[in-house]
C-alpha cells in the first residue's frame, strides 16, 4: 500500500501529483472465495478488512452492485455517538467509538473523525426524564454522557435559541463529548484501500442476483451480474436491500425499508461547533468541514426503494431548525437526497447467524448505523470467521423477535402521560 | 381579504352505522343522508355531512339538539348504529370573501377550485398541522369545523394566510 | 461615477431611472432593470469574488441562475443579511448594499490566495492523506484551520424578521420556463379553457428571446421577438384560468407531478411593504407538466479560464442586448460553437472591438459565421485558446493554432479586456431527471436529452435538444396541445439566423505544461488535473470522482460544469461518455431559503398549542405549565414565591387532608357504541368486560399484539351498548387508530363504532376526603353516597347546573370524582366547584402533584413506568387480565417463554435508607455496591419523589425479579456514591385501599 | 407528497393519510393455537417487497377508512387501490 502522509503529498506535489496509484484495484472476480461480503458500504468493507486483518482470511471478496459507499454510507448525516439506553446497545456502539478514535491511523486514511460533542435536547418533562435515564444508564456502562442546563447548552452551541417562551423551549440536554462526526466517503474508501492492500478483491458494479445452497442447505455460491462465485461463507451488509438479498436464500427478516432524507445548506463560514439533535421536534444538525450545515430529516411514512421522499418531510425538519436556530432562516438548502434505511421492529440491528448455514447478516441499522461502522464490522467479521456470535453482538440475534426479547431503543423513548 | 367569523352555536351529532340500515334515521331527520362521498344534504337548518362511508356529521340549531337526539334514537332503536353528541368537541368557523380559496390554500392541500370542490362538498382534511372539516356552503364561503383545542391555531393560520394572499 | 461600460442605447433597462448601490462599500450607479451583475459590468467592475479553495480572483461568468462565481452577500439591515446570492439574479434597487465573500482582508488583496501558491501540494482529496498525526491534532489543530478556510459567506447571526408564504395549487397544465417554447406551450394549453400555470425564474417572461437586440433580425410571425413576447403575454392574459408567475423558480419535481416553486416577492424592492412575505412556496400539483427550461451555456476548459473578464458568450450578449452593459471594449471570442458568433456580431455592431474570434473547429460553416466574415471580424479556425493574462482582470488571451495534422502550431497573445467563450449548450434536463425520467445520450448533439418519461410530462424547446427557433416554437405548441389532448394547430413563421447546435466538450488541447490550471468547476476550484488525479487513484465511477474532487457539489450544482467534467473523466478513462454515467440531479434546482420551506410554522404556529377550557383559570391562578404532546398542562400552582417542590408538597398534603381540584381534560376519550361494544372491548383490552354492569367503571389495560403495554385508562359502561373509554393524554390518537385498525380490518363484522370525544368533555377531578362534601351542594338529583355511587361507578346528573357524566374514580387513592361536562361549560363548573370548595380547603393541583399522589399509591404511568418493553405482569397488572378470555390483543404473545422469565424487570417500590435522599429518575439499580464499570445493572428508577404525606422519599422502580426481592437492600449509583435502598411494595400509602372508598 | 386515490374519496394528498404496513396479513383466528414461529412471523416478518407491494393505508384525515393499495416500491407509482377485504388484484405481474 502506498503510504499516505504529509511528506508523500509534498513529494508528489513536486512531481505534479503524478505518482499516485489506484487506492484499490479493480480485479476480475475469481471463481471462488473463502468468504464473500455482499454490500460495499462501510459495514461490508469494514468486515472484509477485519476478516483479513484479524482472522487471516485473505481470499475474500466484497461485491457491490454500484459504487463503493453509494448506499447509506454515502448519504448519511455522519453523527457518531454511543449513548444508547440499553447496556447491549451501549456496548456495541461504544466499541465502535473506541475504534473510531484510532481509525484514521489504523487505515492510514484520514476519516476526519471529529469529537465535537453530540448534544441531545430535552423540550419537555418527559424528555428530561428519558435523557436522565440515558445518562444514568450510560454512566453505569462506562459511556460518557452529561446533563447541560439550557445556559450550558447555549454556551456549548451559541446559535441555539434557549428563550423560555418558544413553542418547545430547551429545558436542557444530554451531551456526549466523545460523540461527533466523520467524513462518510472516507470511511468507505479508507476501508476499501486497507482491505485491498491485504488482498481483498473489491468488485464494484457486481450485483448479487442469486444465492445457491447445497447439501444441508448451506450456502455454496453467489450468482452475480459478473458471474458465479463459489463460497462457503456469505456475509450480507446490504442495508436497505438486505431483505431483497436474503430473499434470494429464502430467508425472511423482520425488516422494512423506508426512505430517509437529509439535506445540506450552502457552505458558510464556521457557525456551528457541535452536533445537535432533538427527537421531540425532529431535527439534527451539524456543520461539515466544508461549511455546509448537514441536516437530517425524518423517514417518509411508506416503504420505498426510490431513494427519495416527500418535500413535506424536509419542510418539517426545517421548521424545527428555524425555531431552534432562528438566525438560520435566511440560509438556503443546497441539496436534498434520500437513502433507504432498513428498520427493525425494535430499532436495534440484527447481527449474526441466519437459519442458513454459512449465511451471516448485519442489518437493521436503520437511521443510525454509520456510527457503528467499525464496531459492527469488527464483531461481524469475528462471527463470520468463527461461526459464532461475538460477545458484543450476541444479543442482536434474529431469534429475539420470535422470543420477544426486544432491545427496544425506540419504545424506550416513547411519549405518553 | 377573506373574513373569518365564528359560526352560530350548533348542535353536532356523529351518526355511524351501516348505510343500508339507516333509513329510519332519514325519516327522523326529514331528509336523505348523503350517500355520495364528500357531499352534504339538509333542510331548514339541519344538515348531514358525509364524513365517511359509515359516518355523518349532523348539524342542527343548538336548541333542537336534545329533541333531535331523542327522535333519532327512538327512530333507530332497531338498527345497529352509534349516535354520539359532539356539539362541544369542535367549533364552527365561517370563512368568506373573494379570496377564500387562496387563503385556505396556504394550508390546505386540496384542490379548492369550484369545479373540484363544488358548493355542498364537505370533507375532513388538513389545514397546516390541524385536522378540519371543510364544507363549501356557497361559492365564496366555507364552513370549517375544528376540534376546539385546535381552533386558536386554525384561526392563527387563516389570519396569517389571509395577510399573505396575493 | 461614470458608467463607462454602458452601451449608447438599447437594452431593457430604464436609462432614465438611475439607481444608487454599493459594492464592498464603494458607491456605484446603475439603472432600474439592472441586476447587480449587469450594473457592476456597466461600471467596469469585474472582480466580484474569491473562489472556495484557492481564493482566486473571480468575476461574473454567466447571466443567470447558473452563475458559479459572482456570489455576494446582500445586507438590508443587521437581521436581513443574506449570504451566497448570485449577483446575476440580484435585482438592483436604490440603496442596495452588496459585499463580496470569502476574502480577507479585502477582495483585491486576499491573504487566502496563499492557498493558490500551495495548490500543487493540496490537490483534490489531499486531506484524506494527511493530518493524521499526532492523534489529537485533528480535532484541535487541523480541522479548525480547515474549517476557517472553508465556507463561503457568513451566516446571519440575528433572527430573521421576515415572513414567508405558502400556497398549495392545482392545475391541469403547468409550464415551467417562459421562453419561446414555454410561451408557445402555455398559449396552446390555454385553449383548453382549463387551468394553466406558467412559471419562470426570471423577472420577465421571454427567456432567450430577451437577449435578442431590439432591432435585431429575429422575427416571429413578422414581428420582433420583443413584440412577440408582449403579444404572447397579452394573449395569455385573456384567458381567465391562466396564471403567469415570474421570479418563480421551479426547484423540485416530486412524485406524482407535484412541483415545488419558489416565488421571490420582495427582495427586489427598495422598501418592501411592512409585513409582506419575502418569498412564497408554491406546491403545484399538475395533471400535465411541460418542461421548457431551455439550455445552459457551457464554458470552455482551458488554462486560466477563470480570470475575471472571462465570460460566457451568451451571457455577454445578454448583458449587451438586455442590460446595455458592455463586457469590454476590446474582446476576444473563443468558441467551439456557432452561437458565440451572434454575441460577436452584436458587440461589433455596438462598437466593441472584436480582437479575435478563435474557433476550435477546423471548418465550421453556417449563416452566423458567414455574417461574421462579412462583417470583417477576425476569425481563426482550428485555434485553441490556451490561456489568459492579467491579474484581477484579463489583459490578453493566448492562442495556439493547431495544424492540419493535429500538431501544435504557433502560439500568440492578443491583448483584450474580456474573453467571451462558448463550448455550446447543455439542455436543462434537471427537472426532467428529478422526475425520474430516464436520460438518453444523444451522440449527435453530444449531450444527454430527455428519454423515457416517468411522470405525465413533456419537454419542449432547448431543454429537449431543439435549438432552432422555429422548431422550438413548434415543439412548444405540440407539447401544450398534447397536454390538453388536442392536435397542434398553430404555425409560426420565423426569421432567425440558424445556428448549428453542436459544441465541444471537455478540455481543450494546450501547451501550457502539466501545472496549468484549467477550471472545470469554478466555484469548487476543480481543475482538469484534479479530475485526472481522481481517475489515476482508481476512482472510476463518476459518482466517486464527484465526491473525491467535489466537482458539481458547489452552490451551482455543476450547472455549467458537469458535462465538461464528465468528458474529462471519460477521456481519462478512455471510455465513451455514456459508459461513464451521470451523477444524480437532485432538488433544489437553485438553493432555497430555509425560511420559505418552514413557511407559516413559526412561533405559536410552529405547532398547535392545545389548551383546555380551564386554561384561562389556570393562567389567572399562576399555574406553571408543562408541554405534554401538543397540550399545555398546569404542572403546579405556586403561591407566594413557592418553588415547585414547595408548591407540590403543599398541594399533596392538601389533597390527602382536604381536597384538590385537577384539570384532567386532556385525557383521551373514545365513545365505543353499538350492540357489539362489549365484545369489541373484550377483544381489545386485556380485561374482561362482559360482566361490567351499566354504571360501573373498570381500569383497562391495552397491549399491542406483541404483548407489551401500550396504554391504560378507566372505562365506564354508560349503557349496555355504550362505553366511555379514557386513554392517556399522549396516547389518545394512537389508541383510536389502533382500535379502528382492528375493527375495520380484522373484525368488520362487529356492529360497533368509535367516536373520539376527547374534546367534547371538560374533565374536572375533585379528589380528597372532602370531595363529597364539596360537591354535595352542587349536584342536582345525584346521590353521592358511598352506597349509591361507590368507588368505580358512574352516573348522570347535573353539576353546577350543567348536565354531567359523573365518575367516582380515583388516581390519588382518595375519595374522588371526575366530573365530565360539555367542554364549553367546563370553566363555569370548575369555578363553581372552586368556590364551593374554598370553605373546605380545596386546593388546585397540577400534573406534578398528580404524579406524586399516584406514585404513593403505586399506580403506574404508561410511558414512565413502562417503556414499550413491559408486559402487564411486569408492572403488576397481571390481575387485570381476563383469565377466561379466549383471546385479546397481546394474549398470544404473553404466552411466549421469555414473557415469564423470572429475571424480567418488575415494578417495585424503593425506600431509600436515608429517608431524605430522593433518588434521581432514571438512576440505575445494582445489587452490589462499589462496582466498576460496566456495572451489572439490574433495574432503574422510573419515578422518584419526596412524599410529603409519608414525610420521606419514595420511588418506583423496574427491577429484575423485583417482586422476589422484597426487603432486599440494593444500591443506586450516583455522583455522590452508591445510595442504599430497600425493595418495598410499590404501594406506599394506604395499602389496604381504604381511602378510595371513603 | 404522494397523490393517493382513496377508494371512497378519490385522489387525495398524502398529508391526509397514514400508512398501515403490509396488507393481507390476517390476524390468526385462534392465536392460542399458533406455534411460536408462525406467531413470530405474524408479528414481525414482512415481505418488504422491492417492486409490487400490497400495503394498507388509512385515509385518517379524510373518510378515516383503511384500504389497500398496490404500489411499486421502486417508482412509488400506485397500480391500484381497493377496499379492505378484497383480494389483491393481479396487475403488472406475471399471472
Ligand atoms: C439520510 C440518512 C441519514 C443518516 N444519518 C445517520 C447518522 O447521522 N448517524 C448514523 O450513525 N447513521 C445514519 N444513517 C444510517 C447509516 O447511513 C447506515 O446505517 C449505514 O451507513 C449503513 O451502512 P452499511 O454499510 O450497512 O450500508 P450501505 O452503505 O447502504 O451499504 C450497503 C451496500 O450494499 C449494496 N447492495 C445492496 N444490494 C446488493 C446486491 N444485491 N448485490 C451487491 N450489493 C448490494 C448497496 O449498493 C450498498 O452500497 C443515516 C442514513 C440515511 C439514509
Ligand atoms: N445553440 C443555439 O443556437 C442556442 C442555444 C440556446 C438557446 N437557443 C435559443 O433558445 C431558444 C430556446 O427556447 P426555450 O424556450 O427552449 O428556452 P429559453 O432559454 O428561451 O427559456 C427557458 C426559460 O426557462 C426558465 N427556466 C429554466 N429553468 C427554470 C426553472 N427551474 N424554474 C423556472 N424557470 C426556469 C428560464 O429562466 C428561461 O426563461 C430558442 O430560441 C433557441 O434559438 C439557441
Ligand atoms: C455529509 C454530507 C455532506 C454533503 N455535502 C454536499 C455538498 O456540499 N454539496 C453537494 O452537492 N452534495 C453534498 N452531499 C450530498 C451528495 O451530493 C449526494 O446527494 C448524496 O451523497 C446522495 O447521493 P445522490 O444524491 O447521488 O443519490 C453531501 C452528503 C453528505 C452525506
Ligand atoms: Zn377517503
Amino acid at each position: 500500500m502506498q503510504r499516505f502522509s504529509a511528506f508523500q503529498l509534498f513529494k508528489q506535489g513536486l512531481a505534479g501529483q503524478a505518482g499516485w496509484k489506484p487506492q484499490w484495484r479493480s480485479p476480475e472476480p475469481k471463481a471462488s472465495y473463502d468468504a464473500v461480503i455482499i454490500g460495499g458500504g462501510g459495514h461490508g468493507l469494514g468486515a472484509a478488512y477485519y476478516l483479513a486483518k484479524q482472522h487471516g482470511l485473505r481470499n475474500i471478496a466484497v461485491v457491490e452492485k454500484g459504487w463503493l459507499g453509494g448506499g447509506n454510507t454515502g448519504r448519511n448525516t455522519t453523527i457518531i455517538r454511543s449513548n444508547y439506553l440499553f447496556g447491549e446497545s451501549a456496548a456495541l456502539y461504544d466499541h465502535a467509538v473506541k475504534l473510531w478514535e484510532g481509525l484514521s491511523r489504523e487505515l492510514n486514511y484520514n476519516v476526519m473523525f471529529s469529537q465535537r460533542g453530540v448534544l441531545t435536547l430535552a423540550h419537555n418533562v418527559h424528555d428530561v426524564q428519558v435523557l436522565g435515564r440515558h445518562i444514568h444508564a450510560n454512566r453505569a456502562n462506562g459511556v460518557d454522557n452529561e446533563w447541560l442546563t439550557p445556559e450550558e447548552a447555549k454556551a456549548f452551541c451559541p446559535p441555539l435559541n434557549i428563550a423560555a417562551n418558544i413553542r418547545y423551549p430547551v429545558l436542557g440536554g444530554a451531551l456526549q463529548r466523545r460523540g461527533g462526526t466523520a467524513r462518510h466517503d472516507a470511511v468507505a474508501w479508507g476501508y476499501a484501500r486497507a482491505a485491498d492492500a491485504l488482498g481483498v478483491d473489491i468488485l464494484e458494479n457486481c450485483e448479487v442476483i442469486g444465492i445457491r445452497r447445497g447439501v444441508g442447505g448451506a450456502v455454496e455460491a453467489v450468482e452475480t451480474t459478473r458471474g458465479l462465485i463459489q463460497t462457503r461463507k456469505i456475509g450480507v451488509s446490504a442495508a436497505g436491500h438486505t431483505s431483497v438479498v436474503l430473499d434470494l436464500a429464502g430467508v425472511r427478516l423482520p425488516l422494512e425499508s423506508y426512505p430517509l432524507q437529509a439535506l445540506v445548506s450552502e457552505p458558510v463560514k464556521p457557525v456551528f461547533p457541535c452536533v445537535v439533535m432533538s427527537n421531540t421536534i425532529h431535527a439534527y444538525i451539524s456543520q461539515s468541514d466544508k461549511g455546509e450545515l448537514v441536516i437530517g430529516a425524518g423517514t417518509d411514512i411508506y416503504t420505498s426503494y426510490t431513494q427519495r421522499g416527500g418535500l413535506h418531510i424536509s419542510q418539517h425538519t426545517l421548521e424545527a431548525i428555524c425555531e431552534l436556530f432562528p438566525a438560520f432562516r435566511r440560509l438556503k438548502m443546497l441539496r436534498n437526497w434520500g437513502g433507504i434505511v432498513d428498520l427493525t421492529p425494535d430499532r436495534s440491528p440484527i447481527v449474526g447467524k441466519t437459519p442458513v448455514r454459512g449465511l451471516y447478516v448485519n442489518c437493521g441499522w436503520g437511521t443510525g448505523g454509520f456510527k457503528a461502522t467499525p464496531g459492527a464490522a469488527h464483531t461481524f467479521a469475528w462471527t463470520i470467521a468463527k461461526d459464532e456470535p461475538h460477545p458484543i453482538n450476541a444479543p442482536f440475534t434474529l431469534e429475539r423477535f420470535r422470543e420477544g426479547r426486544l432491545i427496544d431503543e425506540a419504545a424506550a423513548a416513547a411519549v405518553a402521560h | 381579504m377573506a373574513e373569518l367569523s365564528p359560526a352560530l352555536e350548533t348542535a353536532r351529532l356523529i351518526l355511524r352505522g351501516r348505510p343500508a340500515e339507516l333509513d329510519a334515521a332519514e325519516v327522523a331527520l326529514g331528509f336523505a343522508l348523503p350517500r355520495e362521498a364528500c357531499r352534504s344534504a339538509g333542510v331548514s337548518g339541519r344538515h348531514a355531512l358525509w364524513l365517511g362511508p359509515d359516518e355523518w356529521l349532523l348539524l342542527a340549531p343548538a336548541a333542537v339538539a336534545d329533541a333531535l337526539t331523542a327522535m333519532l334514537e327512538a327512530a333507530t332503536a332497531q338498527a345497529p348504529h352509534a349516535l354520539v353528541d359532539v356539539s362541544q368537541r369542535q367549533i364552527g368557523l365561517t370563512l368568506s370573501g373573494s379570496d377564500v380559496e387562496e387563503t385556505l390554500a396556504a394550508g390546505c392541500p386540496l384542490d379548492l377550485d369550484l369545479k373540484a370542490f363544488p358548493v355542498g362538498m364537505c370533507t375532513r382534511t388538513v389545514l397546516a398541522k390541524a385536522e378540519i372539516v371543510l364544507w363549501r356552503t356557497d361559492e365564496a364561503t366555507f364552513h370549517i369545523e375544528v376540534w376546539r383545542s385546535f381552533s386558536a391555531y386554525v384561526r392563527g393560520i387563516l389570519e396569517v394566510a389571509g395577510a399573505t394572499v396575493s | 461615477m461614470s458608467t463607462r461600460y454602458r452601451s449608447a442605447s438599447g437594452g431593457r433597462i430604464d436609462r432614465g431611472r438611475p439607481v444608487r448601490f454599493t459594492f464592498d462599500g464603494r458607491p456605484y450607479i446603475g439603472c432600474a432593470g439592472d441586476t447587480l451583475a449587469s450594473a457592476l459590468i456597466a461600471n467596469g467592475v469585474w472582480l466580484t469574488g474569491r473562489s472556495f479553495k484557492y481564493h482566486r480572483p473571480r468575476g461574473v461568468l454567466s447571466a443567470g441562475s447558473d452563475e458559479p462565481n459572482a456570489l455576494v452577500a446582500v445586507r438590508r439591515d443587521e437581521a436581513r443579511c443574506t449570504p451566497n446570492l448570485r449577483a446575476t439574479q440580484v435585482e438592483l434597487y436604490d440603496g442596495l448594499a452588496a459585499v463580496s465573500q470569502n476574502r480577507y482582508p479585502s477582495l483585491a488583496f486576499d491573504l487566502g490566495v496563499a492557498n493558490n501558491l500551495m495548490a500543487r501540494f493540496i490537490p483534490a482529496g489531499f486531506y484524506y492523506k494527511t493530518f493524521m498525526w499526532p492523534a489529537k491534532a485533528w480535532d484541535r489543530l487541523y480541522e479548525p484551520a480547515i474549517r476557517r478556510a472553508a465556507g463561503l459567506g457568513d451566516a446571519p447571526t440575528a433572527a430573521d424578521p421576515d415572513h414567508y408564504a405558502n400556497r398549495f395549487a392545482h392545475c391541469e397544465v403547468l409550464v415551467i420556463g417562459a421562453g419561446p417554447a414555454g410561451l408557445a406551450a402555455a398559449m396552446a394549453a390555454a385553449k383548453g379553457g382549463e387551468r394553466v400555470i406558467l412559471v419562470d425564474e426570471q423577472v420577465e417572461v421571454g427567456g432567450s428571446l430577451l437577449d435578442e437586440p431590439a432591432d435585431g433580425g429575429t422575427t416571429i410571425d413578422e414581428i420582433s421577438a420583443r413584440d412577440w413576447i408582449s403579444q404572447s403575454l397579452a394573449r395569455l392574459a385573456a384567458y381567465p384560468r391562466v396564471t403567469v408567475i415570474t421570479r418563480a423558480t421551479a426547484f423540485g419535481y416530486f412524485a406524482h407531478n407535484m412541483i415545488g416553486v419558489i416565488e421571490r416577492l420582495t427582495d427586489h424592492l427598495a422598501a418592501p411593504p411592512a409585513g409582506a412575505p419575502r418569498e412564497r412556496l408554491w406546491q403545484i400539483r399538475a395533471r400535465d407538466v411541460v418542461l421548457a427550461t431551455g439550455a445552459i451555456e457551457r464554458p470552455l476548459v482551458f488554462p486560466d479560464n477563470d480570470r475575471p473578464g472571462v465570460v460566457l458568450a451568451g451571457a455577454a450578449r445578454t448583458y449587451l442586448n438586455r442590460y446595455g452593459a458592455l463586457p469590454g471594449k476590446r474582446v476576444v471570442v473563443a468558441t467551439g460553437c456557432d452561437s458565440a458568433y451572434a454575441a460577436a456580431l452584436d458587440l461589433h455592431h455596438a462598437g466593441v472591438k472584436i480582437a479575435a474570434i478563435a474557433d476550435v473547429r477546423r471548418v465550421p460553416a453556417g449563416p452566423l459565421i458567414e455574417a461574421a466574415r462579412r462583417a470583417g471580424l477576425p476569425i481563426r479556425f482550428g485555434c485553441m485558446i490556451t490561456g489568459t493574462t492579467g491579474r484581477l482582470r484579463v489583459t490578453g488571451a493566448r492562442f495556439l493554432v493547431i495544424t492540419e495534422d493535429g500538431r501544435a502550431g504557433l502560439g500568440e497573445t492578443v491583448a483584450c479586456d474580456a474573453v467571451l467563450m462558448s463550448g455550446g449548450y447543455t439542455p436543462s434536463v434537471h427537472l426532467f431527471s428529478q422526475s425520474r425520467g430516464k436520460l438518453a445520450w444523444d451522440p449527435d448533439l453530444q449531450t444527454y436529452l430527455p428519454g423515457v418519461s416517468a411522470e405525465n410530462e413533456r419537454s419542449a424547446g432547448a431543454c429537449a435538444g431543439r435549438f432552432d427557433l422555429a422548431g422550438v416554437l413548434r415543439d412548444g405548441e405540440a407539447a401544450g396541445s398534447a397536454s390538453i389532448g388536442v392536435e397542434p394547430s398553430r404555425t409560426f413563421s420565423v426569421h432567425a439566423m440558424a445556428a448549428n447546435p453542436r459544441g465541444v466538450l471537455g478540455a481543450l488541447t494546450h501547451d501550457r505544461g502539466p501545472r496549468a490550471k484549467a477550471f472545470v468547476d469554478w466555484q469548487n476550484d476543480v481543475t482538469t488535473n484534479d479530475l485526472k488525479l481522481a481517475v489515476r487513484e482508481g476512482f472510476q465511477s463518476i459518482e466517486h470522482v464527484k465526491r473525491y474532487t467535489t466537482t458539481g457539489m458547489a452552490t451551482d450544482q455543476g450547472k455549467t460544469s458537469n458535462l465538461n467534467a464528465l468528458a474529462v473523466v471519460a477521456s481519462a478513462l478512455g471510455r465513451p461518455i455514456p459508459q461513464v454515467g451521470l451523477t444524480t440531479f437532485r432538488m433544489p434546482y437553485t438553493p432555497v431559503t430555509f425560511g420559505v420551506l418552514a413557511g407559516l410554522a413559526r412561533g405559536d404556529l410552529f405547532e398547535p398549542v392545545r389548551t383546555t377550557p380551564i386554561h384561562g383559570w389556570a393562567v389567572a391562578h399562576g399555574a406553571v405549565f408543562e408541554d405534554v404532546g401538543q397540550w399545555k398542562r398546569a404542572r403546579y400552582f405556586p403561591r407566594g414565591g413557592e418553588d415547585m417542590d414547595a408548591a407540590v408538597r403543599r398541594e399533596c398534603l392538601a389533597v390527602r387532608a382536604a381536597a384538590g381540584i385537577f384539570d384532567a381534560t386532556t385525557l383521551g376519550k373514545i365513545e365505543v357504541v353499538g350492540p357489539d361494544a362489549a365484545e369489541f372491548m373484550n377483544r381489545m383490552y386485556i380485561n374482561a368486560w362482559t360482566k361490567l354492569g351499566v354504571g360501573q367503571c373498570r381500569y383497562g389495560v391495552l397491549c399491542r399484539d406483541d404483548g407489551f403495554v401500550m396504554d391504560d385508562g378507566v372505562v365506564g359502561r354508560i349503557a349496555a351498548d355504550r362505553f366511555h373509554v379514557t386513554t392517556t393524554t399522549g396516547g389518545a390518537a394512537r389508541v383510536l387508530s389502533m382500535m379502528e385498525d382492528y375493527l375495520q380490518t380484522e373484525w368488520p363484522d362487529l356492529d360497533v363504532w368509535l367516536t373520539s370525544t376527547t374534546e367534547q368533555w371538560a374533565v374536572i377531578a375533585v379528589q380528597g376526603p372532602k370531595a363529597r362534601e364539596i360537591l354535595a351542594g352542587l349536584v342536582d338529583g345525584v346521590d353521592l353516597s358511598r352506597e349509591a355511587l361507590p368507588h368505580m361507578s358512574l352516573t348522570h346528573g347535573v353539576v353546577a347546573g350543567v348536565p354531567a357524566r359523573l365518575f367516582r374514580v380515583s388516581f390519588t387513592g382518595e375519595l374522588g370524582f371526575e366530573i365530565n361536562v360539555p367542554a364549553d361549560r367546563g370553566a363555569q363548573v370548575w369555578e363553581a366547584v372552586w368556590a364551593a370548595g374554598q370553605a373546605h380547603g380545596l386546593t388546585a393541583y397540577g400534573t406534578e402533584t398528580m404524579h406524586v399522589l399516584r406514585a404513593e399509591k403505586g399506580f403506574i404511568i404508561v410511558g414512565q413506568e413502562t417503556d414499550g418493553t413491559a408486559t402487564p405482569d411486569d408492572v403488576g397488572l397481571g390481575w387485570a387480565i381476563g383469565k377466561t378470555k379466549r383471546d385479546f390483543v397481546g394474549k398470544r404473545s404473553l404466552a411466549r417463554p421469555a414473557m415469564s422469565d423470572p429475571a424480567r424487570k418488575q415494578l417495585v417500590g424503593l425506600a431509600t435508607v436515608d429517608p431524605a435522599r430522593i433518588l434521581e429518575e432514571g438512576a440505575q439499580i445494582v445489587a452490589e455496591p462499589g462496582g466498576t464499570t460496566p456495572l451489572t445493572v439490574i433495574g432503574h428508577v422510573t419515578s422518584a419523589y419526596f412524599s410529603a404525606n409519608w414525610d420521606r422519599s419514595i420511588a418506583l422502580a423496574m427491577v429484575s425479579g423485583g417482586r422476589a426481592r422484597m426487603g432486599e437492600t440494593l444500591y443506586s449509583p450516583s455522583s455522590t456514591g452508591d445510595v442504599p435502598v430497600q425493595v418495598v411494595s410499590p404501594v406506599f400509602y394506604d395499602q389496604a385501599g381504604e381511602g378510595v372508598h371513603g | 407528497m404522494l397523490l393517493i386515490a382513496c377508494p371512497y374519496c378519490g385522489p387525495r394528498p398524502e398529508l391526509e393519510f397514514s400508512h398501515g404496513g403490509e396488507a393481507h396479513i390476517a390476524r390468526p383466528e385462534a392465536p392460542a393455537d399458533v406455534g411460536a414461529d408462525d406467531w413470530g412471523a405474524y408479528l414481525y416478518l414482512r415481505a418488504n417487497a422491492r417492486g409490487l407491494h400490497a400495503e394498507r393505508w388509512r385515509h385518517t384525515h379524510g373518510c378515516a377508512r383503511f384500504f389497500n393499495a398496490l404500489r411499486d416500491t421502486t417508482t412509488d407509482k400506485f397500480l391500484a387501490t381497493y377496499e379492505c377485504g378484497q383480494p389483491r388484484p393481479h396487475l403488472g405481474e406475471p399471472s
Side-chain angles (χ1 to χ4, degrees), chain C residues 543-578:
Chain C
E543 295 284 9
H544 278 157
V545 175
K546 159 183 155 172
R547 287 162 177 80
Y548 194 62
T549 63
T550 75
T551 191
M553 296 180 79
T555 67
D556 61 331
Q557 291 284 291
K559 288 190 182 61
T560 48
S561 62
N562 279 345
L563 212 53
N564 278 333
L566 198 53
V568 172
V569 170
S571 111
L573 283 168
R575 288 188 208 147
I577 289 178

Side-chain angles (χ1 to χ4, degrees), chain A residues 17 23 168 289 306 333, chain C residues 143 436 536-537 592 607:
Chain A
Q17 304 288 348
Q23 298 194 0
Y168 289 113
D289 287 342
T306 57
M333 171 170 78
Chain C
E143 190 183 41
R436 297 287 163 110
R536 204 177 306 133
E537 291 200 71
V592 173
E607 229 181 52

